[in-house]
Amino acid sequence: MTIARRFLIVIVSLSFFYGSFYGLYLFLNPRDIKPAGAREEAKWIATSHSWTDRTACRFIGVCGGDHWKSSTRWWRNTGSVHQHRIQQPHSYNEDWHDPQAQPFNWTKEERVLRDIPKFVFDYAPLVHLHSGENYWPTDIADFLNHVTPKRNYTAIKEHQLNLTHLASLNDYNKGKHVFLTSNDDPEQPSDWLSRKTNVPDRATEDDVRADAKKDLEWDGTVEGETLDNVARREGWYEVGEGTHHGLVKRGAMALGEADATMDSFDIEAYHEAIQARDRHAWRHRKAGKSNAPAVLIVIDKGNGIIDAFWFYFYSFNMGKKVLKIRFGNHVGDWEHSMVRFQHGEPKAVFLSEHTFGGAYSYDAVEKIGKRPVIYSATGSHALYATPGKHTYVLPFGLLHDTTDRGPLWDPALNTHAYTYDYKSDVLLSSTASPFSPTSWFYFAGHWGDKVYELSDERQYRFAGQYHYVNGPLGPRFKNLGRKKICQGRESDPCVIKNWLDGPTKAKRWIGVGEGDEWPEDY
């Protein structure tokens, strides 16, 4: 073999291996990084104390490999938590009481703006939490007692951390780099992360039998086409002006028409009702009630269109496993559903499923009475319209959520309700909960830890996905002013299904990414 031929073989072989290696790198590290992001990326990689780890991370996108070898990271943090005796929980009613609220001084016009139509509660969703869940709903007032505000990784000292002052953290660069960071290691069992005391109260056997009978009478499917054309014709497919990003100042809410008015507010009767509720809350509990309050935000989009957003908070999101490697853990987790009404009639339901959520006609979703029934996935708490296995992103079911008919949660039994003008960015406590604080809503930082550094033994990255990601942004950043019922961009199509996808009957329970980032135009 001539020297020239050998040289050519070497060149071709090197080119082949380089191309294969580069292709592997792009597969393992599929991210389009802007200059600012590239600087952050370099800093993140540099935190590793291992030259081998830094090199593998830079060139083939496999980061934190020695953490895999030196620990049981692949199968640690499975979500199991230690057992403990459930005691009567601490009441956080005082934390939800804004001392500056003065409902007895509200004018008649202001009460109209704060009033929530009765039909919003009549059609409030019911949520089946998963029977194998380990991280239950959490009161955000409770959550604040277990975190420290940090600017990136540096603690912010001498700050009053509560619901009535939380927005003051926006003084630090608009809150953009502020993270409510866990005081405890989320890899270790912790009562406040699991909050088993917040498991909804069980229904009676008669309730369960009646519910089961409804399941037997309904096969879980509704035949039909997408509802998009009907929605366009009836005028509720695309409404309002869309979300206004970058709003920092809060202006006055314009007076408008409301569907209902409220009688004069009786402050003494309100206090008596609150005291009675607290006094009997533990002895006289309703089936489906959780100690963790939901948050209801009602928005009038005009022309008879009302969007009712129900927000659910959890202290921890357990990520998903792919080939026995877990990705996407994060402290703090906001999920939501939304019911769109037209002239008091429910038209469609949005659920924060993975891959940008899903929209369904009201007629299609399962119901108990006239209330939609939705399902929360174990660990991730993503919401779906049916029980069973829900695959997304990857083929062969490698990445999936699981839902079942676990404890039935009725958020309407314990909720803090608000009205919101998305045009002027004004949130008002409603007549249903007039003392509820609003400052927490305007907090612009993250409800959870910042993505852990590569030097942290809990962290790794593979295929561009992190083991631990940023905690989420709050409800204000969930596109509340959306024109379509779907959460995505206005230019994205929004398919409103008039059927349910492959429902799976599940056993009844008796008695991934890098985390949220700020909008670029904020």
Side-chain angles (χ1 to χ4, degrees), residues 362-377:
Y362 169 76
D363 290 335
V365 297
E366 180 183 348
K367 288 174 279 291
I368 295 179
K370 56 185 178 182
R371 298 178 63 180
V373 177
I374 59 181
Y375 295 84
S376 175

Side-chain angles (χ1 to χ4, degrees), residues 137-416:
T138 300
D139 187 332
I140 59 174
D142 177 19
F143 179 79
L144 294 182
N145 289 327
H146 301 278
V147 296
T148 296
K150 292 187 177 182
R151 192 174 183 182
N152 291 321
Y153 301 104
T154 304
I156 298 174
K157 299 180 180 179
E158 299 179 358
H159 182 82
Q160 190 175 6
L161 198 63
N162 56 48
L163 296 176
T164 56
H165 296 90
L166 198 60
S168 62
L169 287 170
N170 296 344
D171 293 342
Y172 300 89
N173 192 24
K174 298 182 181 179
K176 189 173 183 178
H177 301 293
V178 176
F179 294 80
L180 301 179
T181 306
S182 170
N183 295 332
D184 302 296
D185 181 1
E187 296 269 304
Q188 303 300 322
S190 174
D191 285 354
W192 75 272
L193 286 172
S194 62
R195 271 300 172 250
K196 292 187 68 175
T197 52
N198 293 339
V199 177
D201 294 315
R202 299 185 183 186
T204 65
E205 292 184 4
D206 290 339
D207 294 334
V208 172
R209 281 196 293 269
D211 191 12
K213 183 178 180 181
K214 291 185 178 71
D215 294 334
L216 293 175
E217 294 172 349
W218 180 69
D219 66 0
T221 60
V222 174
E223 301 296 334
E225 299 177 335
T226 60
L227 210 60
D228 307 355
N229 291 332
V230 176
R232 289 187 177 94
R233 185 174 64 252
E234 294 182 353
W236 56 268
Y237 178 77
E238 193 169 6
V239 298
E241 299 180 5
T243 296
H244 297 265
H245 291 304
L247 290 175
V248 178
K249 294 182 179 179
R250 287 178 265 163
M253 178 183 285
L255 296 180
E257 295 182 357
D259 290 288
T261 59
M262 177 190 175
D263 295 333
S264 59
F265 183 78
D266 188 336
I267 187 65
E268 293 184 1
Y270 175 80
H271 279 302
E272 289 178 2
I274 290 294
Q275 292 171 5
R277 183 187 68 182
D278 294 345
R279 188 166 55 248
H280 300 289
W282 188 251
R283 288 190 302 160
H284 304 282
R285 297 167 62 83
K286 294 183 179 180
K289 183 177 180 180
S290 170
N291 293 319
V295 171
L296 170 63
I297 298 178
V298 177
I299 304 174
D300 187 345
K301 297 289 179 70
N303 297 318
I305 305 298
I306 297 287
D307 284 349
F309 288 85
W310 292 87
F311 283 92
Y312 321 101
F313 185 77
Y314 306 80
S315 288
F316 189 76
N317 177 100
M318 174 63 67
K320 296 302 174 184
K321 282 187 177 181
V322 179
L323 301 176
K324 295 189 179 297
I325 305 176
R326 191 179 296 280
F327 300 102
N329 289 352
H330 54 84
V331 174
D333 188 22
W334 281 104
E335 302 292 341
H336 74 278
S337 61
M338 185 259 274
V339 181
R340 173 161 288 183
F341 298 89
Q342 184 182 40
H343 303 303
E345 180 183 350
K347 291 294 185 178
V349 178
F350 173 83
L351 305 177
S352 56
E353 301 174 359
H354 277 122
T355 63
F356 307 108
Y360 301 86
S361 70
Y362 169 76
D363 290 335
V365 297
E366 180 183 348
K367 288 174 279 291
I368 295 179
K370 56 185 178 182
R371 298 178 63 180
V373 177
I374 59 181
Y375 295 84
S376 175
T378 178
S380 73
H381 311 120
L383 297 172
Y384 295 89
T386 59
K389 183 178 179 180
H390 310 272
T391 60
Y392 59 97
V393 182
L394 297 179
F396 312 115
L398 292 176
L399 192 60
H400 65 271
D401 277 324
T402 304
T403 59
D404 70 6
R405 298 183 187 279
L408 187 64
W409 180 19
D410 185 351
L413 294 178
N414 185 11
T415 187
H416 291 273

